[in-house]
Amino acid sequence: MRVAVVGATGMVGGIMFKVLRELNFPITEIIPVASERSVGKTIDFGGIEAKVVGLQTAVDMVPDIAIFSAGGQTSLDWAPKFAEKGTVVIDNSSAWRMDPTKKLIVPEINGDLLTADDKIIANPNCSTIQLVLALKPLHDKYKVKRVIVSTYQSITGTGMKAMTQLTNERNSVSGEMAYHYTIDQNCIPHCDDFTENGYTKEEMKLTNETKKILDPSINVTATAVRVPVMGGHSEAVNVEFENEFDLSEVRSLLHNQAGITLKDDPTTNSYPMPLYAEGKNDVFVGRIRRDESQPNTLNMWVVADNLRKGAATNAVQIAQLLLDKGLLVHSSTSSVTNS
Ligand code: A2P
């Protein structure tokens, strides 16, 4: 496969290269793509030095797959140009997620929806992916009525600029700010822009994407908070079901769900945390307990590396699924390496 990574010099782009290699995605040519200011820089891909190219050059190279993680506007402007030439785009931005003609895919949940006609495929928001993966087996069994989710989100989700801000603050150096406020030693209840209803875009993504992926009848309300953490996003999730549940069955349903690892033993202080999830591809669930204030309601704590399952891993898994299902037509048999 000839694979372009758009946003190659960014936080997610870097992890994308790692995950492509770790999951042994069959690559004959890797094409790192970034803005004009990065053209000519080199990216190390498992010992191969690949040169960063601009977007038009990448479109003209007609890769089999282009994985985008360079912001919504870049996706809106460029994904159709790749798709027109026959390249399948897997887009990590929010540009296409709620477009009714585009599929929003978490392979373990709805990968079976993909067909050869899908030329632009949307990767859900990082916070949504870990939430829906934990909800899926429970929804199938007990039918979720309502979800209240509070997030504790890693600064890595904001990109390089936020990493620089935190590093500067920890070293008492002044510099460019990714956030309106100091993030070190702080919690900022503001992820992405505010919308007219008083919620942030991140909170509305959690709501709308969960409905699109799982079931439009599920009611979701969210509070998204940025915390000075690097390894992953955490979520306190309160779930009300239509039907009664059994706690040991909940644990076994989650245990059997592909992509979920259960880490839930209060007797040994075992529960998921970002430091533990960092660098891992699964979503981790723990602190599972009955909400004693209301019938048929459960509390759980869900943690994942937002750059991995929340972004790169999910995108690479979509690519792998397309390959396994025979939905990728080789645009070229070339095995040249872009160097
Ligand atoms: P560049 O490094 O050349 O600016 P992050 O969110 O971690 O900051 O990363 C954003 C990624 O998206 C970077 O690789 C960045 O490239 C890329 N990017 C941003 N804007 C554009 C653009 N207009 N065209 C192509 N790539 C872009």
Side-chain angles (χ1 to χ4, degrees):
M1 291 285 117
R2 302 174 60 241
V3 179
V5 174
V6 181
T9 50
M11 295 266 359
V12 175
I15 304 293
M16 205 73 81
F17 293 120
K18 251 192 193 167
V19 174
L20 281 165
R21 292 191 55 232
E22 284 171 12
L23 300 186
N24 291 319
F25 195 74
I27 290 186
T28 50
E29 181 177 8
I30 190 84
I31 305 170
V33 189
S35 76
E36 290 304 322
R37 59 188 166 265
S38 300
V39 169
K41 282 186 186 168
T42 53
I43 299 282
D44 175 66
F45 186 72
I48 294 164
E49 296 266 288
K51 273 209 172 94
V52 173
V53 300
L55 276 154
Q56 188 58 55
T57 306
V59 168
D60 294 338
M61 290 169 87
V62 196
D64 296 295
I65 304 175
I67 306 178
F68 270 63
S69 208
Q73 197 55 50
T74 306
S75 298
L76 283 173
D77 295 342
W78 289 91
K81 296 183 187 180
F82 279 91
E84 268 165 33
K85 294 230 181 182
T87 297
V88 177
V89 172
I90 301 169
D91 182 39
N92 201 42
S93 81
S94 58
W96 306 99
R97 290 180 191 148
M98 295 313 294
D99 180 329
T101 67
K102 305 287 182 290
K103 299 194 180 140
L104 187 57
I105 299 293
V106 178
E108 299 91 335
I109 297 179
N110 59 358
D112 56 325
L113 297 179
L114 290 172
T115 70
D117 294 332
D118 296 313
K119 294 298 177 209
I120 300 178
I121 300 160
N123 213 34
N125 173 261
C126 43
S127 309
T128 307
I129 293 177
Q130 65 188 76
L131 177 68
V132 292
L133 205 48
L135 291 178
K136 167 71 177 160
L138 308 181
H139 183 55
D140 287 349
K141 184 78 188 183
Y142 311 116
K143 195 162 183 0
V144 174
K145 246 168 95 174
R146 181 173 187 234
V147 178
I148 306 170
V149 54
S150 303
T151 72
Y152 306 67
Q153 299 189 208
S154 165
I155 58 154
T156 57
T158 313
M160 293 286 194
K161 204 174 153 190
M163 291 286 285
T164 307
Q165 180 183 330
L166 181 67
T167 309
N168 283 342
E169 286 167 1
R170 288 187 174 167
N171 293 316
S172 304
V173 171
S174 63
E176 219 188 332
M177 300 280 282
Y179 304 111
H180 295 285
Y181 298 98
T182 301
I183 184 66
D184 191 25
Q185 317 243 28
N186 205 5
C187 296
I188 305 179
H190 179 179
C191 298
D192 207 332
D193 299 331
F194 278 100
T195 66
E196 278 181 3
N197 63 3
Y199 286 82
T200 59
K201 282 189 185 167
E202 185 80 1
E203 290 160 352
M204 294 317 297
K205 286 174 202 170
L206 268 161
T207 302
N208 297 328
E209 294 177 22
T210 298
K211 286 173 177 283
K212 179 164 174 174
I213 296 164
L214 282 183
D215 186 338
S217 75
I218 296 177
N219 291 312
V220 182
T221 188
T223 303
V225 181
R226 192 71 63 188
V227 293
V229 160
M230 273 174 261
H233 290 354
S234 304
E235 297 178 342
V237 187
N238 180 270
V239 199
E240 183 184 358
F241 299 105
E242 205 73 72
N243 302 304
E244 280 180 20
F245 65 85
D246 172 74
L247 266 187
S248 58
E249 191 182 47
V250 164
R251 288 200 178 87
S252 104
L253 289 167
L254 286 165
H255 175 74
N256 293 328
Q257 171 64 49
I260 294 270
T261 296
L262 208 56
K263 193 165 168 57
D264 188 32
D265 184 5
T267 64
T268 57
N269 301 324
S270 174
Y271 33 73
M273 292 180 287
L275 273 181
Y276 171 85
E278 184 168 12
K280 302 192 174 94
N281 290 317
D282 265 7
V283 170
F284 299 88
V285 184
R287 299 295 324 278
I288 298 168
R289 65 229 190 262
R290 201 171 274 284
D291 176 348
E292 295 180 336
S293 71
Q294 179 168 269
N296 301 347
T297 307
L298 180 87
N299 280 307
M300 59 183 173
W301 177 248
V302 181
V303 182
D305 183 330
N306 54 301
L307 299 179
R308 285 199 169 237
K309 185 56 183 170
T313 303
N314 200 68
V316 174
Q317 288 170 335
I318 292 174
Q320 187 65 53
L321 192 60
L322 293 169
L323 192 61
D324 294 347
K325 291 175 89 166
L327 301 177
L328 289 173
V329 184
H330 279 272
S331 53
S332 154
T333 52
S334 130
S335 63
V336 246
T337 300
N338 169 38
S339 57

